[in-house]
Amino acid sequence: MTVAHERRVIDFLVKQSGQEASIAAIHEALSSSDASNPLTSVQIDAAIEKVTTPPRASKSSGANRPPRATKANGKKLIYWGAENYSSVALYEAIQNTFTKKWGPDVLGLKTGEADGVLCPGQPRKGAGDWANPDLVVFAHPRRKTAPHAAREIHCFEIEQQNGFGIQSVYQSYEQARGAEYAWLFAHADGIPARIRVAATDLGVGVVTFSNPNAASLYDRPNRKELSHRAILARRRKTSPRDRVAFLERVALQDPG
């Protein structure tokens, strides 16, 4: 098997809605006589095995890397490395996990189906670098500060494997101006010490996970292993003017 075989599996997945397809569909597409240089069933299975196996550790990397793709129910494959598409599997998995499971279980947040909004578009003209988050979640805390308090804003930078680094922390902090909480969620196997120090200093929450669809594999603050102990975001002081500026920048309506 060659790297080219792995690339063909990934290229096929990237073009599918949500970057996922059944294993049967992958076989059909890559073995078809209509395809350029059709692959055998053995070659396709070997390529699938490769992309669903964690890559070898890199000495130059500060974070371990989980598999590029995962199998779901043994019948379909989901690729997590795509960005800049109208539908991104990684972003949607985190949106679903945070609003329905991680946020309520770990933070006691009260969220609804429409409270997590993906923001794949470009920031408004003149907003500058690091202005547009990947996800914004509106949620009431476990205890509201007042009976009619507005939902607090949780702002997210979401990183795939190759993008997770110290710069991600500063980007998360900067693009959350006007929001109550800045989060960095990354598809990686643990939080490196350098990132932990920077995030703690800035109050940025950091959570890593090996399988974006498995809530049980997301870091939590009570984990014994330090590298998998989630860092909780500190609440930032914001004014009504800050909130308005944030919502204007990301082109979202205030749900109140």
Side-chain angles (χ1 to χ4, degrees), residues 17 32 71 99 193 254:
S17 176
S32 171
K71 291 180 181 178
T99 56
D254 195 338

Side-chain angles (χ1 to χ4, degrees), residues 41-127:
S41 180
V42 171
Q43 288 173 323
I44 296 170
D45 283 338
I48 290 174
E49 181 66 24
K50 190 69 175 178
V51 300
T52 55
T53 299
R56 292 180 180 178
S58 170
K59 293 181 180 179
S60 62
S61 174
N64 296 321
R65 295 168 60 187
R68 291 167 286 174
T70 54
K71 291 180 181 178
N73 300 322
K75 295 182 179 180
K76 69 178 181 180
L77 208 61
I78 307 173
Y79 175 62
W80 302 113
E83 289 187 314
N84 302 321
Y85 287 81
S86 59
S87 175
V88 178
L90 179 62
Y91 297 175
E92 292 176 354
I94 293 171
Q95 174 195 35
N96 185 64
T97 298
F98 186 86
T99 56
K100 295 182 179 179
K101 191 69 178 174
W102 202 93
D105 288 357
V106 176
L107 305 175
L109 298 183
K110 299 173 183 178
T111 61
E113 292 184 3
D115 289 336
V117 184
L118 293 172
C119 304
Q122 296 298 315
R124 63 179 177 80
K125 187 176 181 180

Side-chain angles (χ1 to χ4, degrees), residues 211-232:
N211 183 343
N213 270 342
S216 62
L217 298 181
Y218 280 60
D219 297 340
R220 298 209 171 202
N222 58 353
R223 292 278 161 83
K224 291 183 178 180
E225 186 180 357
L226 180 60
S227 66
H228 285 286
R229 193 177 300 162
I231 303 169
L232 298 184

Side-chain angles (χ1 to χ4, degrees), residues 119 123 127-136 153-159 167-179 181-185 204 236 245-247 249-250:
C119 304
D129 295 333
W130 295 354
N132 210 52
D134 297 313
L135 170 68
V136 174
I153 300 175
H154 296 254
C155 182
F156 292 76
E157 172 64 14
I158 297 173
E159 295 287 24
Q167 180 173 291
S168 307
V169 177
Y170 298 103
Q171 182 173 353
S172 302
Y173 176 83
E174 179 63 28
Q175 66 194 16
R177 291 187 181 278
Y181 297 94
W183 292 97
L184 168 57
F185 272 53
V204 173
R236 300 165 71 154
F246 174 85
L247 293 170
R249 190 177 79 237
V250 299

